Amino acid sequence: MQSSHQIDYYIHGEEMQLVEIELDPQESVIAESGSFLMMEDGVQMQTIFGDGSGQQQNGFLGKLFSAGKRILTGESLFMTVFTNAGQGKKRVSFAAPYSGKIIPLDLAVLGGKIICQKDAFLCAARGISVGIEFQRKLGSGLFGGEGFIMQKVEGDGIAFVHSGGYVFEKDLQAGEVLKVDTGCVVAYTPSVDFDIQFVGGVRNTIFGGEGLFFATLRGPGRVWIQSLPISRLANRVLEYAKSGWGRKEEGGVLGSLGNLLDGR
């Protein structure tokens, strides 16, 4: 019997997406703090410790421990539960934090568990457990782009994660290896072996500009890869801001001359 609430959903938009979730009476969805966009009258909002999955220990200390683990993944102590307390179907919507794609994950089909980067989780049907996953390999933890701690999403309902840019989904066969930039791994099923490989070669290391390590994903299993991690976007914006610091972009001869010399 399915323990998570069964929800219907529709994803709107292309580059800046939102997910609209339809709740039957007494159905609930959990979400990260700050992801809420809008809801219809009759939906009640409640802030809770942890993820509200019902899998955490009883009592205040148990709930505090469950919520405290979320700090290790860079998330808030609290999550928000939205419940349809009215009559008929009600809708509540959540927005992506930056340009990219929202990925629906049916955990009942995917084996009940997904491992994802720390800030990927957006929302899920109530009953889904959101916890932490430790990287067992030293190299993966030190150089994997996400550190030793990642998120794990467990249950038998639908969860939604977010990534930057375009999302590439691939089913890896047994023994098949995919080499990926360490910051571009969004999520993977537990059957995938995640490790780190040194790029190698003096010229590649010094002049390649692609970092010193690849993330290697070995099948069998399914992986989700993002084309634009937020760290890469932030670095580009910072570089642009530094290069244009003190320059008057609109009007002025010096501003126009500077842009011409820069090729802009």
Side-chain angles (χ1 to χ4, degrees):
M1 181 177 179
Q2 185 169 346
S3 59
S4 301
H5 290 196
Q6 296 179 325
I7 57 175
D8 298 315
Y9 69 92
Y10 186 83
I11 296 176
H12 299 270
E14 295 297 333
E15 283 73 30
M16 296 296 293
Q17 293 188 324
L18 65 92
V19 55
E20 180 184 68
I21 295 176
E22 186 178 78
L23 300 173
D24 291 327
Q26 302 308 311
E27 280 187 344
S28 301
V29 61
I30 59 172
E32 286 291 358
S33 299
S35 63
F36 167 72
L37 177 63
M38 59 184 174
M39 62 184 178
E40 295 181 345
D41 188 35
V43 177
Q44 292 184 350
M45 181 177 68
Q46 180 185 13
T47 300
I48 61 170
F49 276 119
D51 55 22
S53 64
Q55 298 182 16
Q56 56 209 45
Q57 302 176 28
N58 294 326
F60 176 77
L61 291 179
K63 293 180 180 180
L64 184 62
F65 176 74
S66 175
K69 291 189 297 183
R70 292 170 42 75
I71 296 180
L72 297 177
T73 64
E75 305 294 349
S76 168
L77 275 172
F78 303 93
M79 294 190 78
T80 309
V81 179
F82 297 83
T83 303
N84 179 1
Q87 301 294 321
K89 296 181 181 295
K90 302 294 182 180
R91 295 172 180 83
V92 57
S93 300
F94 305 94
Y98 52 89
S99 178
K101 299 294 182 183
I102 295 175
I103 311 169
L105 302 173
D106 189 344
L107 297 179
V109 175
L110 295 170
K113 178 180 177 180
I114 289 292
I115 301 170
C116 57
Q117 61 183 358
K118 289 182 290 188
D119 59 349
F121 176 77
L122 186 66
C123 60
R126 187 161 193 179
I128 298 294
S129 170
V130 184
I132 59 175
E133 180 81 8
F134 290 97
Q135 291 290 353
R136 294 185 296 272
K137 297 181 179 179
L138 179 63
S140 300
L142 290 176
F143 309 112
E146 295 298 332
F148 285 103
I149 300 172
M150 300 182 75
Q151 281 185 327
K152 64 177 178 181
V153 183
E154 296 179 290
D156 55 6
I158 296 178
F160 301 88
V161 298
H162 178 260
S163 65
Y166 179 77
V167 178
F168 176 74
E169 180 180 334
K170 183 175 177 60
D171 287 309
L172 297 177
Q173 302 303 313
E176 183 179 2
V177 176
L178 189 65
K179 297 181 181 180
V180 184
D181 180 276
T182 54
C184 292
V185 179
V186 179
Y188 54 92
T189 53
S191 59
V192 173
D193 180 58
F194 177 81
D195 205 350
I196 296 298
Q197 177 181 332
F198 182 62
V199 171
V202 175
R203 283 185 294 181
N204 290 336
T205 302
I206 299 177
F207 305 111
E210 299 296 339
L212 301 180
F213 301 92
F214 291 125
T216 61
L217 301 164
R218 183 183 300 274
R222 186 174 300 181
V223 300
W224 291 263
I225 309 298
Q226 63 183 351
S227 64
L228 184 62
I230 186 61
S231 57
R232 184 183 297 176
L233 176 61
N235 288 336
R236 288 299 179 93
V237 171
L238 183 60
E239 289 175 5
Y240 183 83
K242 288 181 178 179
S243 66
W245 184 259
R247 176 182 298 164
K248 187 176 181 182
E249 294 289 352
E250 295 183 3
V253 176
L254 292 180
S256 299
L257 180 59
N259 288 339
L260 180 61
L261 293 176
D262 283 346
R264 296 200 294 266

